[in-house]
Structures are given as C-alpha cells and as structure tokens.
Amino acid sequence: MKIIAFGGSNSQHSINKKLATYAANQFSNANVEVLDLNDFAMPLFSVDVEKEIGQHPTAKAFLGKLAEADVLVVSMAENNGNYSVAFKNVFDWCSRIEKDIFQHKPMLLLATSPGARGGASVLEIATKLFPRYGTEIKASFSLPSFNANFDLEENKISNTELDKELKDIIKSSF
C-alpha cells in the first residue's frame, strides 16, 4: 500500500508534517512518501496569472504525487482558523486542473496546533469541504497541545491515550 502524507504548511518545522509523518508510519505494510509543500511553491493563484502562464507544472506534479497514493494522510495547519496560505495556494492551482484533487483516494485527515483545540476549526472546514473534491475521509484525528503531547526527539505522540486513539482509528478505519 502506498501512502502519500503531507502537512498543510510550508513551515520548515511544521508540526503538522511531523504528525502526518508519524501517523502514516503507523500503517502496516505501507510504503510512505512524505511531501513537503515547499517543494510545490507557486505564484499566488489568480485567474490573471493562470491566463498568462496556463496550468502550472508544479500543480500537475502535486496531482501526480496524489495519483500514486492508495491512501492520503493529511494534517492541516490552522492559520487564523483556516487553511494556511501555502496549502490554499496549492489547492487553488490544482483545482483548476482537476476538480477532484484528491482523486477518490481514502483519507486520514488530521490537525494539530500548539493550542488546546488542536486545529479544530480547520479540521471542521476540511471535513466539510474535502469530500466535494474527491476524497472519502475514512477518519479524522486532532492532536491538541502539540508541544505537550508530541515528543520531538522520538518523533512520536508522547501522550499514551492520544497515541492509542490514533492507532485504533488507523486500525479500525483502514
């Protein structure tokens, strides 16, 4: 099984990329590839830019990576209660090429933040919107208070109850 995972952030130290990587590696017998949104940077989307340059090849490359997946593991970063600009820009460019961006792949949808809500607002938005763009969200998980519940040295969830919850979600949903 091929898993494509990414965090919805362009931060060099993205906590959502760390969570997506950890979660993807909890699947049995999986080949995991973790994408970095920094590798898919494009000009800010606008219809004027699109008219000038056409479909951006980097957006096509991102869609190509998603096409390789059997399962998507996506952890959304929350900026002011919504998607990060980096994710939204990739999403906007890709949606102009293929409306069903997620190409009917099953998804484990995640979010985390330093705060106690764990990205709950962006998780709610993505849960409602992503199925309209060609995915079946098989399960979702929010990790609250990232700094208190994730061990950066071990690259794993340190809170045993939350770690078990995520592993049980993966086991029962995929």
Side-chain angles (χ1 to χ4, degrees):
M1 167 175 36
K2 173 80 181 246
I3 296 177
I4 296 291
F6 64 91
S9 169
N10 62 344
S11 169
Q12 294 282 335
H13 306 285
S14 170
I15 62 177
N16 279 282
K17 183 178 173 187
K18 290 178 189 324
L19 179 60
T21 300
Y22 176 73
N25 283 295
Q26 301 313 302
F27 284 74
S28 297
N29 302 315
N31 173 15
V32 175
E33 182 176 357
V34 179
L35 305 181
D36 186 327
L37 287 190
N38 290 299
D39 296 333
F40 300 94
M42 294 173 271
L44 188 61
F45 177 81
S46 78
V47 292
D48 296 332
V49 174
E50 182 187 44
K51 189 175 189 178
E52 181 182 324
I53 69 171
Q55 295 177 336
H56 203 288
T58 302
K60 290 179 181 179
F62 186 79
L63 289 168
K65 285 294 184 185
L66 298 187
E68 296 174 8
D70 295 309
V71 173
L72 300 172
V73 175
V74 180
S75 188
M76 298 303 298
E78 184 173 290
N79 293 150
N80 298 317
N82 212 319
Y83 304 138
S84 73
V85 167
F87 174 78
K88 183 70 166 83
N89 197 49
V90 171
F91 186 87
D92 288 346
W93 276 105
C94 289
S95 71
R96 300 292 287 194
I97 298 169
E98 184 171 330
K99 180 195 174 283
D100 289 341
I101 293 167
F102 301 115
Q103 303 170 49
H104 307 284
K105 309 292 182 174
M107 181 183 289
L108 172 59
L109 181 60
L110 311 166
T112 191
S113 74
R117 289 181 31 85
S121 295
V122 74
L123 192 62
E124 182 180 338
I125 292 166
T127 298
K128 289 179 182 176
L129 185 66
F130 284 7
R132 293 178 47 205
Y133 289 89
T135 191
E136 178 186 358
I137 299 171
K138 302 289 272 181
S140 65
F141 174 81
S142 170
L143 180 66
S145 306
F146 180 85
N147 297 322
N149 291 313
F150 197 92
D151 184 331
L152 291 171
E153 288 183 22
E154 298 287 326
N155 283 313
K156 68 177 194 171
I157 296 175
S158 56
N159 179 306
T160 55
E161 289 176 18
L162 292 169
D163 191 47
K164 182 179 181 329
E165 181 183 341
L166 176 60
K167 288 175 179 175
D168 288 348
I169 286 169
I170 291 168
K171 187 176 181 180
S172 67
S173 300
F174 294 92

Short mmCIF file of all heavy atoms in Angstrom, two decimals, residues 54-123:
data_model
loop_
_atom_site.label_atom_id
_atom_site.label_comp_id
_atom_site.label_asym_id
_atom_site.label_seq_id
_atom_site.Cartn_x
_atom_site.Cartn_y
_atom_site.Cartn_z
N GLY A 54 -0.92 29.65 -17.88
CA GLY A 54 -1.62 28.37 -18.04
C GLY A 54 -1.54 27.54 -16.78
O GLY A 54 -1.24 28.03 -15.70
N GLN A 55 -1.81 26.25 -16.93
CA GLN A 55 -1.77 25.33 -15.80
C GLN A 55 -0.32 25.20 -15.32
O GLN A 55 0.58 24.90 -16.11
CB GLN A 55 -2.31 23.97 -16.19
CG GLN A 55 -3.78 24.00 -16.56
CD GLN A 55 -4.29 22.64 -17.03
OE1 GLN A 55 -3.53 21.81 -17.49
NE2 GLN A 55 -5.58 22.44 -16.89
N HIS A 56 -0.12 25.42 -14.05
CA HIS A 56 1.24 25.41 -13.51
C HIS A 56 1.77 23.98 -13.45
O HIS A 56 1.10 23.08 -12.92
CB HIS A 56 1.26 26.04 -12.12
CG HIS A 56 2.61 26.56 -11.75
ND1 HIS A 56 3.65 25.73 -11.44
CD2 HIS A 56 3.09 27.82 -11.69
CE1 HIS A 56 4.72 26.45 -11.17
NE2 HIS A 56 4.40 27.74 -11.31
N PRO A 57 2.98 23.74 -13.98
CA PRO A 57 3.53 22.38 -13.95
C PRO A 57 3.74 21.84 -12.53
O PRO A 57 3.68 20.63 -12.32
CB PRO A 57 4.87 22.52 -14.70
CG PRO A 57 5.15 23.97 -14.80
CD PRO A 57 3.85 24.69 -14.67
N THR A 58 3.96 22.71 -11.57
CA THR A 58 4.13 22.26 -10.19
C THR A 58 2.82 21.72 -9.64
O THR A 58 2.81 20.74 -8.89
CB THR A 58 4.68 23.40 -9.32
OG1 THR A 58 5.93 23.83 -9.87
CG2 THR A 58 4.90 22.97 -7.89
N ALA A 59 1.71 22.33 -10.03
CA ALA A 59 0.39 21.80 -9.62
C ALA A 59 0.17 20.43 -10.26
O ALA A 59 -0.35 19.51 -9.61
CB ALA A 59 -0.71 22.77 -10.01
N LYS A 60 0.56 20.29 -11.50
CA LYS A 60 0.44 18.98 -12.17
C LYS A 60 1.30 17.93 -11.45
O LYS A 60 0.88 16.78 -11.28
CB LYS A 60 0.86 19.09 -13.63
CG LYS A 60 -0.12 19.87 -14.48
CD LYS A 60 0.37 19.95 -15.92
CE LYS A 60 -0.59 20.76 -16.77
NZ LYS A 60 -0.13 20.87 -18.17
N ALA A 61 2.48 18.34 -11.01
CA ALA A 61 3.36 17.42 -10.27
C ALA A 61 2.73 17.00 -8.94
O ALA A 61 2.81 15.82 -8.56
CB ALA A 61 4.73 18.06 -10.04
N PHE A 62 2.10 17.94 -8.24
CA PHE A 62 1.44 17.62 -6.97
C PHE A 62 0.30 16.63 -7.22
O PHE A 62 0.19 15.61 -6.52
CB PHE A 62 0.91 18.89 -6.31
CG PHE A 62 0.34 18.67 -4.94
CD1 PHE A 62 1.18 18.55 -3.84
CD2 PHE A 62 -1.03 18.59 -4.75
CE1 PHE A 62 0.66 18.34 -2.56
CE2 PHE A 62 -1.56 18.38 -3.48
CZ PHE A 62 -0.71 18.26 -2.38
N LEU A 63 -0.51 16.89 -8.23
CA LEU A 63 -1.59 15.97 -8.57
C LEU A 63 -1.04 14.59 -8.95
O LEU A 63 -1.64 13.56 -8.61
CB LEU A 63 -2.44 16.53 -9.71
CG LEU A 63 -3.32 17.73 -9.34
CD1 LEU A 63 -3.87 18.40 -10.59
CD2 LEU A 63 -4.43 17.32 -8.40
N GLY A 64 0.09 14.57 -9.63
CA GLY A 64 0.73 13.31 -9.99
C GLY A 64 1.14 12.51 -8.76
O GLY A 64 0.99 11.28 -8.72
N LYS A 65 1.65 13.20 -7.75
CA LYS A 65 2.01 12.53 -6.50
C LYS A 65 0.77 11.94 -5.82
O LYS A 65 0.80 10.80 -5.34
CB LYS A 65 2.73 13.48 -5.54
CG LYS A 65 4.15 13.76 -5.94
CD LYS A 65 4.97 12.49 -5.80
CE LYS A 65 6.42 12.69 -6.09
NZ LYS A 65 7.16 11.41 -6.06
N LEU A 66 -0.31 12.72 -5.77
CA LEU A 66 -1.53 12.21 -5.15
C LEU A 66 -2.06 11.00 -5.91
O LEU A 66 -2.60 10.06 -5.31
CB LEU A 66 -2.59 13.30 -5.08
CG LEU A 66 -2.26 14.54 -4.23
CD1 LEU A 66 -3.49 15.45 -4.13
CD2 LEU A 66 -1.73 14.19 -2.86
N ALA A 67 -1.89 10.99 -7.22
CA ALA A 67 -2.37 9.87 -8.05
C ALA A 67 -1.66 8.56 -7.69
O ALA A 67 -2.22 7.48 -7.87
CB ALA A 67 -2.18 10.19 -9.53
N GLU A 68 -0.44 8.65 -7.19
CA GLU A 68 0.33 7.45 -6.83
C GLU A 68 -0.18 6.78 -5.55
O GLU A 68 0.18 5.65 -5.27
CB GLU A 68 1.81 7.82 -6.62
CG GLU A 68 2.51 8.32 -7.85
CD GLU A 68 3.93 8.81 -7.54
OE1 GLU A 68 4.42 8.61 -6.39
OE2 GLU A 68 4.54 9.39 -8.44
N ALA A 69 -0.98 7.48 -4.78
CA ALA A 69 -1.37 7.01 -3.44
C ALA A 69 -2.51 6.01 -3.48
O ALA A 69 -3.41 6.09 -4.31
CB ALA A 69 -1.78 8.20 -2.58
N ASP A 70 -2.46 5.10 -2.52
CA ASP A 70 -3.61 4.27 -2.19
C ASP A 70 -4.39 4.93 -1.06
O ASP A 70 -5.60 4.77 -0.96
CB ASP A 70 -3.17 2.87 -1.77
CG ASP A 70 -2.49 2.11 -2.89
OD1 ASP A 70 -3.06 2.03 -3.99
OD2 ASP A 70 -1.35 1.63 -2.67
N VAL A 71 -3.66 5.64 -0.19
CA VAL A 71 -4.25 6.33 0.95
C VAL A 71 -3.52 7.66 1.10
O VAL A 71 -2.30 7.74 0.93
CB VAL A 71 -4.09 5.51 2.25
CG1 VAL A 71 -4.54 6.30 3.48
CG2 VAL A 71 -4.84 4.19 2.17
N LEU A 72 -4.28 8.70 1.45
CA LEU A 72 -3.71 10.01 1.76
C LEU A 72 -3.78 10.24 3.26
O LEU A 72 -4.81 9.98 3.89
CB LEU A 72 -4.49 11.12 1.04
CG LEU A 72 -4.52 11.05 -0.48
CD1 LEU A 72 -5.49 12.09 -1.05
CD2 LEU A 72 -3.13 11.25 -1.05
N VAL A 73 -2.69 10.74 3.83
CA VAL A 73 -2.65 11.14 5.23
C VAL A 73 -2.30 12.63 5.22
O VAL A 73 -1.19 13.00 4.83
CB VAL A 73 -1.63 10.33 6.05
CG1 VAL A 73 -1.54 10.87 7.47
CG2 VAL A 73 -2.00 8.85 6.04
N VAL A 74 -3.27 13.45 5.61
CA VAL A 74 -3.12 14.90 5.51
C VAL A 74 -3.36 15.52 6.88
O VAL A 74 -4.39 15.26 7.50
CB VAL A 74 -4.13 15.48 4.48
CG1 VAL A 74 -3.99 16.99 4.38
CG2 VAL A 74 -3.95 14.81 3.11
N SER A 75 -2.42 16.34 7.32
CA SER A 75 -2.58 17.05 8.59
C SER A 75 -2.60 18.54 8.30
O SER A 75 -1.63 19.12 7.83
CB SER A 75 -1.44 16.70 9.55
OG SER A 75 -1.70 17.26 10.82
N MET A 76 -3.73 19.14 8.59
CA MET A 76 -3.96 20.54 8.24
C MET A 76 -3.43 21.49 9.31
O MET A 76 -3.77 21.37 10.48
CB MET A 76 -5.46 20.79 8.03
CG MET A 76 -6.07 19.98 6.90
SD MET A 76 -5.26 20.25 5.32
CE MET A 76 -5.58 21.99 5.08
N ALA A 77 -2.63 22.44 8.86
CA ALA A 77 -2.20 23.53 9.73
C ALA A 77 -3.32 24.56 9.80
O ALA A 77 -4.03 24.77 8.81
CB ALA A 77 -0.93 24.18 9.18
N GLU A 78 -3.46 25.17 10.95
CA GLU A 78 -4.51 26.18 11.12
C GLU A 78 -3.86 27.55 11.27
O GLU A 78 -3.05 27.76 12.16
CB GLU A 78 -5.36 25.85 12.35
CG GLU A 78 -6.52 26.79 12.52
CD GLU A 78 -7.44 26.36 13.64
OE1 GLU A 78 -8.14 25.35 13.47
OE2 GLU A 78 -7.44 27.03 14.69
N ASN A 79 -4.23 28.44 10.37
CA ASN A 79 -3.79 29.84 10.46
C ASN A 79 -5.02 30.71 10.57
O ASN A 79 -5.83 30.75 9.63
CB ASN A 79 -2.97 30.24 9.23
CG ASN A 79 -1.64 29.52 9.13
OD1 ASN A 79 -1.13 29.29 8.05
ND2 ASN A 79 -1.05 29.15 10.25
N ASN A 80 -5.18 31.35 11.71
CA ASN A 80 -6.34 32.21 11.95
C ASN A 80 -7.66 31.48 11.66
O ASN A 80 -8.58 32.02 11.06
CB ASN A 80 -6.24 33.49 11.12
CG ASN A 80 -5.03 34.30 11.51
OD1 ASN A 80 -4.74 34.45 12.69
ND2 ASN A 80 -4.31 34.80 10.53
N GLY A 81 -7.74 30.22 12.09
CA GLY A 81 -8.97 29.45 11.98
C GLY A 81 -9.23 28.86 10.62
O GLY A 81 -10.32 28.33 10.37
N ASN A 82 -8.25 28.90 9.71
CA ASN A 82 -8.48 28.40 8.35
C ASN A 82 -7.21 27.75 7.82
O ASN A 82 -6.23 27.61 8.54
CB ASN A 82 -8.91 29.57 7.45
CG ASN A 82 -9.87 29.14 6.37
OD1 ASN A 82 -9.70 28.09 5.77
ND2 ASN A 82 -10.87 29.97 6.12
N TYR A 83 -7.25 27.35 6.54
CA TYR A 83 -6.09 26.75 5.89
C TYR A 83 -4.91 27.72 5.89
O TYR A 83 -5.09 28.93 5.84
CB TYR A 83 -6.38 26.43 4.42
CG TYR A 83 -7.54 25.54 4.12
CD1 TYR A 83 -8.39 25.84 3.07
CD2 TYR A 83 -7.78 24.39 4.85
CE1 TYR A 83 -9.45 25.02 2.75
CE2 TYR A 83 -8.84 23.55 4.54
CZ TYR A 83 -9.68 23.88 3.49
OH TYR A 83 -10.71 23.06 3.18
N SER A 84 -3.72 27.18 5.83
CA SER A 84 -2.53 28.02 5.62
C SER A 84 -2.56 28.52 4.18
O SER A 84 -3.13 27.88 3.28
CB SER A 84 -1.26 27.24 5.88
OG SER A 84 -1.03 26.31 4.82
N VAL A 85 -1.92 29.63 3.94
CA VAL A 85 -1.83 30.18 2.59
C VAL A 85 -1.11 29.20 1.66
O VAL A 85 -1.49 29.04 0.50
CB VAL A 85 -1.11 31.55 2.61
CG1 VAL A 85 -0.71 32.01 1.24
CG2 VAL A 85 -1.99 32.59 3.29
N ALA A 86 -0.09 28.54 2.16
CA ALA A 86 0.67 27.59 1.33
C ALA A 86 -0.23 26.46 0.83
O ALA A 86 -0.20 26.12 -0.36
CB ALA A 86 1.84 27.01 2.12
N PHE A 87 -1.03 25.88 1.72
CA PHE A 87 -1.93 24.81 1.29
C PHE A 87 -3.00 25.36 0.34
O PHE A 87 -3.28 24.76 -0.69
CB PHE A 87 -2.61 24.12 2.48
CG PHE A 87 -3.65 23.13 2.02
CD1 PHE A 87 -3.27 21.89 1.54
CD2 PHE A 87 -5.00 23.47 2.02
CE1 PHE A 87 -4.22 20.99 1.06
CE2 PHE A 87 -5.95 22.58 1.55
CZ PHE A 87 -5.55 21.34 1.08
N LYS A 88 -3.59 26.47 0.70
CA LYS A 88 -4.67 27.03 -0.11
C LYS A 88 -4.19 27.35 -1.53
O LYS A 88 -4.92 27.13 -2.50
CB LYS A 88 -5.24 28.29 0.56
CG LYS A 88 -6.41 28.92 -0.16
CD LYS A 88 -7.66 28.06 -0.07
CE LYS A 88 -8.91 28.81 -0.49
NZ LYS A 88 -9.16 28.85 -1.91
N ASN A 89 -2.97 27.82 -1.66
CA ASN A 89 -2.45 28.14 -2.98
C ASN A 89 -2.27 26.87 -3.83
O ASN A 89 -2.66 26.84 -5.00
CB ASN A 89 -1.13 28.90 -2.88
CG ASN A 89 -0.77 29.59 -4.16
OD1 ASN A 89 -1.58 30.28 -4.76
ND2 ASN A 89 0.46 29.40 -4.60
N VAL A 90 -1.71 25.82 -3.25
CA VAL A 90 -1.58 24.54 -3.97
C VAL A 90 -2.97 24.02 -4.33
O VAL A 90 -3.21 23.58 -5.46
CB VAL A 90 -0.79 23.50 -3.13
CG1 VAL A 90 -0.85 22.12 -3.76
CG2 VAL A 90 0.65 23.94 -2.94
N PHE A 91 -3.87 24.08 -3.38
CA PHE A 91 -5.25 23.63 -3.60
C PHE A 91 -5.90 24.40 -4.75
O PHE A 91 -6.53 23.81 -5.64
CB PHE A 91 -6.03 23.83 -2.29
CG PHE A 91 -7.43 23.29 -2.29
CD1 PHE A 91 -7.68 21.98 -1.95
CD2 PHE A 91 -8.50 24.11 -2.61
CE1 PHE A 91 -8.98 21.47 -1.93
CE2 PHE A 91 -9.80 23.61 -2.59
CZ PHE A 91 -10.03 22.30 -2.25
N ASP A 92 -5.75 25.72 -4.76
CA ASP A 92 -6.36 26.54 -5.81
C ASP A 92 -5.79 26.22 -7.19
O ASP A 92 -6.54 26.06 -8.16
CB ASP A 92 -6.19 28.03 -5.50
CG ASP A 92 -7.07 28.50 -4.35
OD1 ASP A 92 -8.00 27.76 -3.97
OD2 ASP A 92 -6.81 29.60 -3.83
N TRP A 93 -4.47 26.12 -7.30
CA TRP A 93 -3.86 25.78 -8.59
C TRP A 93 -4.32 24.40 -9.06
O TRP A 93 -4.68 24.23 -10.22
CB TRP A 93 -2.34 25.82 -8.50
CG TRP A 93 -1.75 27.19 -8.67
CD1 TRP A 93 -1.23 27.99 -7.70
CD2 TRP A 93 -1.62 27.93 -9.89
NE1 TRP A 93 -0.79 29.17 -8.24
CE2 TRP A 93 -1.01 29.16 -9.59
CE3 TRP A 93 -1.96 27.66 -11.22
CZ2 TRP A 93 -0.73 30.12 -10.55
CZ3 TRP A 93 -1.68 28.62 -12.19
CH2 TRP A 93 -1.07 29.83 -11.85
N CYS A 94 -4.31 23.44 -8.16
CA CYS A 94 -4.69 22.07 -8.53
C CYS A 94 -6.15 21.96 -8.93
O CYS A 94 -6.49 21.25 -9.88
CB CYS A 94 -4.38 21.11 -7.39
SG CYS A 94 -2.61 20.82 -7.14
N SER A 95 -7.02 22.68 -8.23
CA SER A 95 -8.46 22.57 -8.52
C SER A 95 -8.81 23.10 -9.90
O SER A 95 -9.85 22.76 -10.46
CB SER A 95 -9.28 23.30 -7.45
OG SER A 95 -9.12 24.70 -7.55
N ARG A 96 -7.96 23.93 -10.46
CA ARG A 96 -8.19 24.44 -11.81
C ARG A 96 -7.82 23.41 -12.87
O ARG A 96 -8.25 23.48 -14.00
CB ARG A 96 -7.40 25.73 -12.04
CG ARG A 96 -7.78 26.85 -11.08
CD ARG A 96 -9.15 27.35 -11.33
NE ARG A 96 -9.12 28.14 -12.57
CZ ARG A 96 -10.08 28.95 -12.96
NH1 ARG A 96 -11.16 29.08 -12.22
NH2 ARG A 96 -9.98 29.61 -14.08
N ILE A 97 -7.03 22.43 -12.48
CA ILE A 97 -6.63 21.35 -13.39
C ILE A 97 -7.58 20.18 -13.25
O ILE A 97 -8.02 19.60 -14.24
CB ILE A 97 -5.17 20.90 -13.10
CG1 ILE A 97 -4.21 22.07 -13.34
CG2 ILE A 97 -4.81 19.68 -13.94
CD1 ILE A 97 -2.81 21.81 -12.83
N GLU A 98 -7.88 19.83 -12.01
CA GLU A 98 -8.73 18.67 -11.72
C GLU A 98 -9.59 18.99 -10.50
O GLU A 98 -9.04 19.15 -9.41
CB GLU A 98 -7.84 17.45 -11.47
CG GLU A 98 -8.61 16.19 -11.27
CD GLU A 98 -7.71 14.96 -11.24
OE1 GLU A 98 -6.65 14.95 -11.89
OE2 GLU A 98 -8.11 14.01 -10.55
N LYS A 99 -10.90 19.06 -10.70
CA LYS A 99 -11.78 19.38 -9.57
C LYS A 99 -11.63 18.36 -8.44
O LYS A 99 -11.58 18.74 -7.28
CB LYS A 99 -13.25 19.45 -10.00
CG LYS A 99 -14.16 19.79 -8.83
CD LYS A 99 -15.62 19.50 -9.13
CE LYS A 99 -16.49 19.69 -7.92
NZ LYS A 99 -16.43 18.60 -6.95
N ASP A 100 -11.56 17.11 -8.80
CA ASP A 100 -11.40 16.06 -7.79
C ASP A 100 -9.91 15.90 -7.45
O ASP A 100 -9.27 14.90 -7.78
CB ASP A 100 -12.01 14.74 -8.26
CG ASP A 100 -13.52 14.78 -8.29
OD1 ASP A 100 -14.10 15.65 -7.61
OD2 ASP A 100 -14.13 13.96 -8.98
N ILE A 101 -9.40 16.90 -6.79
CA ILE A 101 -7.98 16.97 -6.46
C ILE A 101 -7.49 15.69 -5.78
O ILE A 101 -6.41 15.18 -6.09
CB ILE A 101 -7.71 18.16 -5.51
CG1 ILE A 101 -7.96 19.47 -6.21
CG2 ILE A 101 -6.30 18.13 -4.95
CD1 ILE A 101 -8.01 20.65 -5.27
N PHE A 102 -8.29 15.16 -4.88
CA PHE A 102 -7.86 14.02 -4.09
C PHE A 102 -8.11 12.68 -4.79
O PHE A 102 -7.82 11.62 -4.24
CB PHE A 102 -8.52 14.06 -2.71
CG PHE A 102 -8.20 15.32 -1.95
CD1 PHE A 102 -9.19 16.24 -1.65
CD2 PHE A 102 -6.90 15.62 -1.58
CE1 PHE A 102 -8.90 17.41 -0.96
CE2 PHE A 102 -6.60 16.79 -0.89
CZ PHE A 102 -7.60 17.69 -0.59
N GLN A 103 -8.65 12.73 -6.00
CA GLN A 103 -8.71 11.61 -6.93
C GLN A 103 -9.33 10.34 -6.35
O GLN A 103 -8.88 9.24 -6.63
CB GLN A 103 -7.31 11.37 -7.50
CG GLN A 103 -6.76 12.63 -8.17
CD GLN A 103 -5.31 12.54 -8.52
OE1 GLN A 103 -4.89 11.56 -9.13
NE2 GLN A 103 -4.53 13.56 -8.17
N HIS A 104 -10.32 10.54 -5.51
CA HIS A 104 -11.10 9.43 -4.94
C HIS A 104 -10.27 8.49 -4.08
O HIS A 104 -10.55 7.30 -4.00
CB HIS A 104 -11.88 8.71 -6.04
CG HIS A 104 -12.70 9.67 -6.84
ND1 HIS A 104 -13.87 10.20 -6.38
CD2 HIS A 104 -12.46 10.25 -8.04
CE1 HIS A 104 -14.34 11.06 -7.27
NE2 HIS A 104 -13.51 11.11 -8.29
N LYS A 105 -9.26 9.07 -3.44
CA LYS A 105 -8.41 8.31 -2.52
C LYS A 105 -8.99 8.41 -1.11
O LYS A 105 -9.44 9.48 -0.70
CB LYS A 105 -6.98 8.87 -2.49
CG LYS A 105 -6.34 9.05 -3.85
CD LYS A 105 -6.07 7.75 -4.54
CE LYS A 105 -5.37 8.03 -5.87
NZ LYS A 105 -4.95 6.83 -6.53
N PRO A 106 -8.97 7.33 -0.35
CA PRO A 106 -9.37 7.42 1.06
C PRO A 106 -8.36 8.26 1.82
O PRO A 106 -7.17 8.28 1.50
CB PRO A 106 -9.38 5.97 1.53
CG PRO A 106 -8.49 5.24 0.58
CD PRO A 106 -8.55 5.97 -0.72
N MET A 107 -8.86 8.97 2.82
CA MET A 107 -8.00 9.92 3.55
C MET A 107 -8.14 9.76 5.05
O MET A 107 -9.24 9.58 5.58
CB MET A 107 -8.38 11.35 3.18
CG MET A 107 -7.55 12.44 3.86
SD MET A 107 -8.10 14.12 3.47
CE MET A 107 -7.57 14.27 1.77
N LEU A 108 -7.00 9.85 5.73
CA LEU A 108 -6.96 10.07 7.16
C LEU A 108 -6.66 11.56 7.31
O LEU A 108 -5.60 12.03 6.89
CB LEU A 108 -5.85 9.24 7.83
CG LEU A 108 -5.58 9.53 9.31
CD1 LEU A 108 -6.83 9.32 10.16
CD2 LEU A 108 -4.42 8.68 9.82
N LEU A 109 -7.60 12.29 7.86
CA LEU A 109 -7.49 13.74 8.00
C LEU A 109 -7.12 14.08 9.43
O LEU A 109 -7.80 13.66 10.37
CB LEU A 109 -8.80 14.40 7.61
CG LEU A 109 -8.85 15.93 7.66
CD1 LEU A 109 -7.82 16.54 6.72
CD2 LEU A 109 -10.25 16.41 7.32
N LEU A 110 -6.06 14.84 9.58
CA LEU A 110 -5.51 15.19 10.88
C LEU A 110 -5.37 16.70 11.02
O LEU A 110 -5.38 17.42 10.02
CB LEU A 110 -4.11 14.59 11.04
CG LEU A 110 -3.92 13.12 10.71
CD1 LEU A 110 -2.44 12.79 10.60
CD2 LEU A 110 -4.59 12.26 11.77
N ALA A 111 -5.17 17.14 12.23
CA ALA A 111 -4.78 18.52 12.51
C ALA A 111 -4.14 18.55 13.89
O ALA A 111 -4.46 17.74 14.76
CB ALA A 111 -5.98 19.46 12.48
N THR A 112 -3.23 19.48 14.05
CA THR A 112 -2.65 19.75 15.36
C THR A 112 -2.29 21.22 15.42
O THR A 112 -2.20 21.90 14.39
CB THR A 112 -1.42 18.87 15.67
OG1 THR A 112 -1.09 19.02 17.06
CG2 THR A 112 -0.23 19.19 14.80
N SER A 113 -2.10 21.69 16.63
CA SER A 113 -1.65 23.06 16.86
C SER A 113 -1.06 23.11 18.27
O SER A 113 -1.26 22.19 19.06
CB SER A 113 -2.81 24.06 16.73
OG SER A 113 -3.65 23.98 17.86
N PRO A 114 -0.36 24.19 18.59
CA PRO A 114 0.15 24.32 19.95
C PRO A 114 -0.97 24.50 20.98
O PRO A 114 -0.77 24.24 22.16
CB PRO A 114 1.03 25.57 19.89
CG PRO A 114 1.36 25.75 18.45
CD PRO A 114 0.17 25.23 17.70
N GLY A 115 -2.14 24.92 20.53
CA GLY A 115 -3.25 25.19 21.44
C GLY A 115 -4.08 23.96 21.78
O GLY A 115 -3.99 22.91 21.13
N ALA A 116 -4.93 24.13 22.76
CA ALA A 116 -5.75 23.03 23.27
C ALA A 116 -6.81 22.55 22.28
O ALA A 116 -7.31 21.44 22.41
CB ALA A 116 -6.43 23.46 24.58
N ARG A 117 -7.16 23.37 21.28
CA ARG A 117 -8.18 22.95 20.31
C ARG A 117 -7.59 22.09 19.19
O ARG A 117 -8.32 21.47 18.44
CB ARG A 117 -8.89 24.16 19.73
CG ARG A 117 -9.81 24.82 20.75
CD ARG A 117 -10.58 26.02 20.23
NE ARG A 117 -10.94 26.05 18.83
CZ ARG A 117 -12.03 25.47 18.29
NH1 ARG A 117 -12.87 24.82 19.07
NH2 ARG A 117 -12.26 25.56 17.01
N GLY A 118 -6.27 22.05 19.07
CA GLY A 118 -5.63 21.13 18.13
C GLY A 118 -6.01 21.33 16.68
O GLY A 118 -6.10 20.36 15.93
N GLY A 119 -6.26 22.55 16.27
CA GLY A 119 -6.63 22.80 14.87
C GLY A 119 -8.07 22.44 14.56
O GLY A 119 -8.41 22.13 13.42
N ALA A 120 -8.93 22.46 15.57
CA ALA A 120 -10.32 22.02 15.40
C ALA A 120 -11.07 22.81 14.33
O ALA A 120 -11.88 22.24 13.60
CB ALA A 120 -11.07 22.12 16.74
N SER A 121 -10.80 24.10 14.20
CA SER A 121 -11.52 24.91 13.21
C SER A 121 -11.18 24.50 11.79
O SER A 121 -12.06 24.30 10.96
CB SER A 121 -11.22 26.40 13.40
OG SER A 121 -11.71 26.84 14.64
N VAL A 122 -9.89 24.34 11.50
CA VAL A 122 -9.51 23.94 10.14
C VAL A 122 -9.91 22.50 9.86
O VAL A 122 -10.28 22.16 8.74
CB VAL A 122 -8.00 24.18 9.87
CG1 VAL A 122 -7.12 23.17 10.57
CG2 VAL A 122 -7.72 24.21 8.38
N LEU A 123 -9.89 21.66 10.87
CA LEU A 123 -10.33 20.27 10.70
C LEU A 123 -11.81 20.23 10.32
O LEU A 123 -12.21 19.47 9.43
CB LEU A 123 -10.06 19.48 11.98
CG LEU A 123 -10.18 17.97 11.89
CD1 LEU A 123 -9.18 17.39 10.92
CD2 LEU A 123 -9.97 17.36 13.28
#
